[in-house]
């Protein structure tokens, strides 16, 4: 096969293709006209990369594979291609040694439509082989919508409730915003849109971190906490 590689020996690749077509006609697998039309097509001299979409998801499913049986995922090719391109573009903007991961699901069915475990599976400088959608890591600000959701459920706040974004001390715990600044009085809607840390902790203090973790466990999510430790307010910012 190496001698007939089109990107190295295009003439030999043409000849090999024609021999295969002749044998297919002789075996009755292909008609003469079809073979003649096929012989008119050019053999590309370019070596194309093999498709490697959803590499992490594919590896994760290997243990479930049964020989002779197809293993079907709900991932959509167009969605996966788009997400992987977004991840590569975002990683370039972030700079070296940083990566990105994302998952897109159908809110109605729960089907996973796209899953990107890293910016580039083959980029060793970003540890691309690590599937960041599955490894244990801090959830960061992704918990904030759940904090506000529980507060809505309990009737503690509404979307336009005004809350203070200013320095605060919760028994020695002093959360700060990412930009180290404060917005003053903001609505709950604005606090979530701006991903402000202090308002989220104020609301969590009213809701109760134990109630938040209990709701997660009811949904099948088990936060990893230090042994024999009760959840504290830091859980609201991913301190689990």
């Amino acid at each position: 096969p190496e001698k007939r590689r089109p990107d190295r020996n295009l003439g030999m690749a043409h000849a090999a293709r024609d021999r295969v077509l002749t044998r297919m006609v002789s075996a009755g697998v292909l008609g003469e006209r079809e073979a003649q039309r096929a012989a008119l097509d050019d053999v590309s001299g370019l070596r194309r990369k093999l498709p490697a979409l959803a590499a992490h998801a594919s590896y994760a499913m290997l243990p479930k594979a049964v020989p002779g049986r197809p293993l079907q995922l709900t991932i959509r090719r167009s969605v996966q291609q788009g997400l992987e391109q977004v991840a590569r573009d975002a990683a370039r903007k972030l700079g070296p040694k940083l990566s990105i991961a994302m998952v897109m699901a159908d809110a109605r069915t729960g089907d996973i439509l796209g899953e990107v475990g890293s910016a580039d599976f083959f980029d060793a400088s970003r540890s691309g082989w690590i599937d960041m959608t599955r490894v244990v890591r801090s959830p960061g600000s992704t918990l904030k919508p759940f904090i506000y959701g529980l507060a809505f459920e309990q009737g503690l706040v509404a979307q336009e409730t005004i809350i203070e974004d200013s320095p605060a001390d919760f028994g020695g715990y002093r959360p700060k915003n990412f930009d180290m600044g404060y917005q003053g009085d903001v609505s709950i809607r604005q606090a979530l849109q701006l991903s402000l840390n202090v308002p989220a902790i104020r609301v969590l203090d009213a809701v109760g971190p134990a109630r938040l973790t209990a709701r997660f466990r009811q949904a099948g999510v088990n936060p990893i906490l230090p042994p024999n430790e009760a959840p504290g307010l830091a859980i609201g910012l991913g301190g689990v």
Side-chain angles (χ1 to χ4, degrees):
E2 190 72 13
K3 293 181 180 180
R4 295 189 290 272
R5 277 181 52 172
D7 59 326
R8 293 184 178 179
N9 299 296
L10 187 57
M12 294 185 68
H14 269 283
R17 188 273 311 273
D18 292 342
R19 286 196 299 273
V20 171
L21 291 174
T22 300
R23 292 180 64 181
M24 291 177 70
V25 172
S26 299
V29 177
L30 193 67
E32 289 189 11
R33 288 188 177 181
E34 288 81 2
Q36 290 171 358
R37 284 198 296 268
L40 294 175
D41 290 339
D42 289 332
V43 175
S44 176
L46 298 176
R47 185 176 184 181
R48 295 181 173 87
K49 291 184 178 180
L50 290 173
L53 290 175
H56 293 97
S58 300
Y59 270 96
M61 292 298 105
L62 280 178
K64 300 180 180 180
V66 177
R69 294 184 183 179
L71 186 61
Q72 187 170 356
L73 305 181
T74 57
I75 289 176
R76 294 182 184 175
R77 181 184 181 89
S78 59
V79 173
Q80 185 67 27
Q81 287 177 321
L83 290 182
E84 291 190 9
Q85 186 61 54
V86 169
R88 285 191 293 269
D89 293 343
R92 280 194 292 268
K93 294 178 181 179
L94 288 172
K97 298 183 179 181
L98 296 175
S99 195
I100 188 171
M102 62 186 80
V103 175
M104 179 179 288
D106 187 322
R108 295 169 298 176
T109 64
D111 289 346
I112 301 300
L113 306 180
E115 181 180 316
V116 180
S118 70
D120 187 342
F121 184 85
F122 300 102
D123 189 345
S125 69
R126 301 181 189 273
S127 300
W129 61 87
I130 297 177
D131 185 352
M132 295 198 301
T133 66
R134 289 180 170 83
V135 297
V136 177
R137 59 195 182 107
S138 170
S141 293
T142 59
L143 302 186
K144 288 175 182 173
F146 299 100
I147 295 172
Y148 291 120
L150 277 179
F152 293 157
E153 189 177 274
Q154 296 177 40
L156 298 176
V157 296
Q159 293 183 23
E160 302 306 325
T161 299
I162 299 300
I163 191 168
E164 187 178 356
D165 178 33
S166 61
D169 187 320
F170 300 90
Y173 175 50
R174 302 180 179 88
K176 294 180 173 60
N177 291 321
F178 181 77
D179 62 359
M180 305 303 290
Y182 299 95
Q183 302 295 319
D185 290 342
V186 295
S187 67
I188 292 293
R189 183 197 301 273
Q190 292 171 320
L192 180 55
Q193 289 174 337
L194 298 174
S195 192
L196 299 176
N197 292 339
V198 178
I201 297 303
R202 289 187 189 277
V203 174
L204 180 59
D205 190 38
V207 169
R211 188 184 298 272
L212 178 67
T213 54
R215 181 57 64 88
F216 282 141
R217 291 191 175 99
Q218 288 176 2
V221 178
N222 295 306
I224 298 176
L225 301 171
N228 303 318
E229 288 286 340
L233 291 175
I235 193 175
L237 305 180
V240 297

